[in-house]
Each structure stands twice: as C-alpha cells, then as structure tokens.
Amino acid sequence: MTDAHLDELKAELQAISDLNGAAMVLEWDQSTYMPAAGADARGRQIALLGELAHGRLTSPRMGELLKAVARLEDDDTVDGAMVRRARRQWERASRVPAALVSDIKNHTARSYVAWTQAKPKGDFAAVRPYLEKTVELSRRWSDCFPSAEHVLDPLVDANDPGMTTASVRALFDELRAALVPIVQAIAERPAPDRSFLEVGFPQAEQLAFGAEVAAELGYDFGRGRQDLTVHPFMIRFGAGDIRITTRVDEHDLTDALFGTIHEAGHAMYEQGIAPSFDGTPLGEGASAGVHESQSRLWENLVGRSRPFWERFYPRLQARFPQQLGEVDLDTFFRGVNRVERSLIRTEADEVTYNLHVMLRFDLEAQLLEGSLKVADLPEAWDARMASDLGVRPKSPTEGCMQDVHWYCMTIGGTFQGYALGNVIAAQVFAAARASLGDLDERIAAGDFGALRGWLTEHLYQHGARYLPDELVKRATGKPVGIEDFVAHLKAKYGALYGIAW
Ligand code: ZN
C-alpha cells in the first residue's frame, strides 16, 4: 500500500514542480523579452499558476499522502529526504492563512511602487508608512510559526533551513570583529588604479567573452542559454533547461564579466544535481547560503584569482587590444580586486561585502523585535555605516533605501544568505584545494573539470537532500565557520596590499 502512496505523492510533487516551472518560464520571459505592455496579463498568469501550485501543495489529499508515507521520514535514504522536505514545504504552506498571504502580496506590490518613486529623491517619509505596515505583516507571518524562539527565525529558516537568528548572529559577530580591522588596514594603503576597466567595452564583445569563460568553466550551454536582463539571475525550468541572464555596462568591464561567472556558478550547481531528483523537492539547491556559496566560489575564488587571469588575461587582451593592450596582468589583477569603503552593497568588493550584509541583518532583526522604530531607521543605518565602513550616506537613496528587498516582500530572511555564501564558499574551496592539491596549477592551465568534479561529488549532486549545515560538514569535514574565509582574505589581500597581518 505504502508504495502506491509514495508513487502518488511523487506524481503530485512532479505536478507542483511543473506548475512552478511553467510560472518560471513566464517570469524569465517577463525579465528578458516581454514588452512592458504585457505586464498586467503576465502578472495574472503567474499568480494563477502560483495559486494552482499552492492549492495542490496544501490540498487535503497531500496531507493524507504525507501521513501515509510518514514512516519513511526517519530513513537515511533519498525517499526519506524527499518525504521530509515535502512535509516541510506542505507544513510551511499550510500554516500561513491565505488571507495573510494575499494581504502581504497586495501591500508589498504597492510598497514597491512607492519605493521606485521615492528612492531617486531619497524621500524616506514617503515609504515610511509602507515599511511600518511591512514590519507588522512580517511579524504576523512569523507568528504563524509559534515554536520559533526569535521573530526572525521563521524568515531565516525559510531560505536557510536549520539556521536561526542566534546561529547566524554568532557567526556574524565573529566575522564582523575579524573584518573591520582588515578593511581599516587596507583603507590606509594607496588604492590601485582601475580606470582602464572603465574606458568603454562594446557589448557584443563582452557577451562573447563572458559566454566563452562560462562554457570553459563548465556551464553546459546544451542545457541552458544566456540572455540580457536588468537584474541578472539564474533560473531552472527543469534539469535540462537551466538559464542564466546578464547585464552589460559598456563603461565597466567587471559588471558583465563577474556577473556572468556568478550566475554560471549558480547554474553549474543546478546542472550538477542528480537527474533523478528532478521534479521532486530535492531537485534544487540546499539553501540560499549554499547556493550563493557556489556563485561566489566561481566568481571570487576562481574568477578573481591570479591563476585564473594567467589563463584568461591574454585572451581578454586579444579581444580588447586598444583598451587593455598596454595594461599588464599585474595591474589588471590589482584593478579587479580593488577594495573600497563604499556605500552600495551591490558594488562592494569581496572584503567589504559582508559588512553591508551584517548591517542589514542586524537592523531587520531590531525592526522585527520592535527595538528599532522605522522612523529611526535612516539614522541607525548611517551610524552603522560610519562605524563599520567609515563612510556616511548623504541621502537615504544610498542608505536604507538602496536595496529593493525591504520594499517588495516581507522583511527578514534574505540578506544573511549572501554573507553565508561568502563564508561557505571559502570553506568549500579550501576543502577542494586540500583534496585536489595542485588546484592553482589546474586553474592556470584551464583545467576546471577536477574542481567541478569535486564539487559535483561533494555538493552539487546532493541537491536539497541534506540540511545546509550537514551538507557543508559532509563536504568539508567541519560545521560552517569563518576561519577559511578570513584566512583567504588575509592571504590574498595581504599580498596585494603589502600588509603583514
Ligand atoms: Zn547569487
């Protein structure tokens, strides 16, 4: 009997996955080729598919099926992991009342519009009432999970399963203490030149080079493709169709180049998931943090490394002889690794980036706790920027209004993944290096197969089978920690900036 139940459950999960996949095709099109006038109809179509998927996931039959196969939940098998994850998704979807979900959707749609209008003017007063309501709705969403210790926990757990506010905080406190003096020491050194990266690079050539690099790293264009968009992303429709998108700035070579490597990293992770997991809840990345670790690993630890540019810089120079012909490898390498105490998160370098994230995580926790009033957010933001990064925004445009996140969805749960990603990336890369030995030589020789093979074996193929912490422990032999990340920064930037730590 149970096997019939398991088969029916798998068929239901496949149907839900297909409904979600169909919605993603529509979203992808919306962000790439759709004429703006199509927005209203497209919004309806995507919402309808979302409702159908939600309805199937929370149906009474799904509850019965999960009950019928509940005995598998303790099994250390693929089916056991699949049932555990399906039950988690069912439980999460069932707990939040449909009325609250639609309240949040309606409110955040209006909030987003208000933000797009107020942001250029830095008019915080205009978004303040929206943000106050968003805080309230986020609290109500969190209240649907009464066993949580902290109001932020259910939001964190939604994207980084198994992590809590306390566990993220413990890690971030350590990280901040390590990072602030590193950033200060670097800021006291002369900044390397990067003007040659901004001299003008035609779009077509940039795209061609990015695609060439992505393919050589191992992104399989036979099961994917690359298109232009405004805010780049990776998207999966199914195991055989995992796409990346790119944005090109003709006046900054690094935007498309590292953006493409970043999204290709996300996509290689997805392309490496065991094909048999497709259409089940295991056919996706383990968490936001683990996913980001793979984009960051390829973007920063490979793509911003010296061996990588030993391999690719002559080809980049050949493609842009007028712009880079006279710039030597050393100067280029320093330029793409310049550290800057800047105001904008999305433009931040490898060293300062996490400080931007931690500030957001702490402030959103305080907003949800009620220890910080929305009215006091701009000042709290600016004070923290001054203490952590030594710079102060002139307006909320470059302060607490710079990121869309707080203005287009519930507050909390999305930022920590970016910093966790950086930390996990360094830990995974260190483990791969220890196992493969001559990793730098391989990268300089253009052999990325060994690294990709190692990552596939230890991380990619498992999809969402394990909780993130267990996955990282299995891959690296230890729980998530900051040591490898800090060691990486000290080694790389100590050499670049002539600092003995
Ligand atoms: Zn990413």
Side-chain angles (χ1 to χ4, degrees), residues 12 99 142 162 293 358:
E12 270 304 298
S142 175
S293 80
M358 289 184 262

Side-chain angles (χ1 to χ4, degrees), residues 107 127-137 373-375:
H107 169 70
V127 291
R128 184 183 145 185
Y130 290 97
L131 202 50
E132 282 166 346
K133 177 85 180 167
T134 308
V135 169
E136 186 212 314
L137 289 169
K373 297 264 170 294
V374 169

Side-chain angles (χ1 to χ4, degrees), residues 261-262 265-266 291-304 345-346 348-350 353-354 418 421-423 425:
I261 300 177
H262 182 99
H266 280 303
H291 227 304
E292 195 65 8
S293 80
Q294 293 317 295
S295 55
R296 289 299 202 174
L297 184 147
W298 289 101
E299 176 194 356
N300 284 336
L301 296 158
V302 176
R304 287 183 206 267
R345 173 185 64 87
T346 54
D349 55 79
E350 206 181 358
Y353 190 92
N354 290 325
Y418 297 122
N422 289 324
V423 167

Side-chain angles (χ1 to χ4, degrees), residues 248-468:
V248 178
D249 179 349
E250 294 204 319
H251 300 286
D252 191 340
L253 179 66
T254 58
D255 201 22
L257 177 58
F258 292 110
T260 301
I261 300 177
H262 182 99
E263 300 308 333
H266 280 303
M268 286 191 280
Y269 181 11
E270 294 274 343
Q271 289 184 332
I273 295 173
S276 62
F277 290 2
D278 201 33
T280 81
L282 303 185
E284 59 184 359
S287 68
V290 171
H291 227 304
E292 195 65 8
S293 80
Q294 293 317 295
S295 55
R296 289 299 202 174
L297 184 147
W298 289 101
E299 176 194 356
N300 284 336
L301 296 158
V302 176
R304 287 183 206 267
S305 74
R306 176 88 196 192
F308 177 87
W309 286 110
E310 282 168 20
R311 167 79 181 168
F312 282 105
Y313 192 56
R315 279 151 64 177
L316 186 68
Q317 275 182 311
R319 217 173 250 282
F320 299 109
Q322 279 171 341
Q323 296 92 330
L324 297 173
E326 303 297 314
V327 179
D328 64 27
L329 171 61
D330 224 49
T331 308
F332 178 83
F333 179 59
R334 281 167 189 280
V336 298
N337 283 295
R338 182 160 91 171
V339 176
E340 224 166 338
R341 300 207 282 187
S342 65
L343 293 164
I344 309 297
R345 173 185 64 87
T346 54
E347 294 165 12
D349 55 79
E350 206 181 358
V351 184
T352 58
Y353 190 92
N354 290 325
L355 292 173
H356 291 268
V357 172
M358 289 184 262
L359 169 161
R360 287 154 177 76
F361 183 80
D362 288 344
L363 293 181
E364 63 193 12
Q366 291 167 20
L367 285 171
L368 292 171
E369 285 165 0
S371 58
L372 175 65
K373 297 264 170 294
V374 169
D376 299 328
L377 176 64
E379 181 43 38
W381 180 289
D382 295 357
R384 182 72 183 267
M385 280 301 289
S387 70
D388 280 12
L389 281 142
V391 287
R392 201 174 248 278
K394 286 187 205 67
S395 139
T397 307
E398 50 187 29
C400 67
M401 290 175 75
Q402 66 176 266
D403 291 313
V404 66
H405 305 60
W406 290 344
Y407 304 94
C408 75
M409 55 180 137
T410 47
I411 290 185
T414 51
F415 281 117
Q416 79 283 334
Y418 297 122
L420 290 171
N422 289 324
V423 167
I424 295 170
Q427 187 167 328
V428 167
F429 197 66
R433 182 188 294 285
S435 164
L436 296 170
D438 52 353
L439 191 52
D440 285 349
E441 290 83 348
R442 286 176 191 269
I443 290 174
D447 166 18
F448 301 101
L451 175 59
R452 221 176 47 254
W454 190 94
L455 292 168
T456 303
E457 185 190 338
H458 293 92
L459 228 104
Y460 297 174
Q461 62 160 331
H462 299 305
R465 177 171 179 182
Y466 303 109
L467 284 172

Side-chain angles (χ1 to χ4, degrees), residues 225-238:
R225 52 177 288 129
Q226 179 183 32
D227 296 270
L228 285 169
T229 191
V230 181
H231 299 290
F233 57 93
M234 178 279 310
I235 195 159
R236 175 194 184 99
F237 305 149

Side-chain angles (χ1 to χ4, degrees), residues 182-196:
I182 294 178
V183 172
Q184 265 160 9
I186 293 173
E188 283 162 18
R189 301 275 158 163
D193 180 26
R194 82 185 301 282
S195 57
F196 51 84

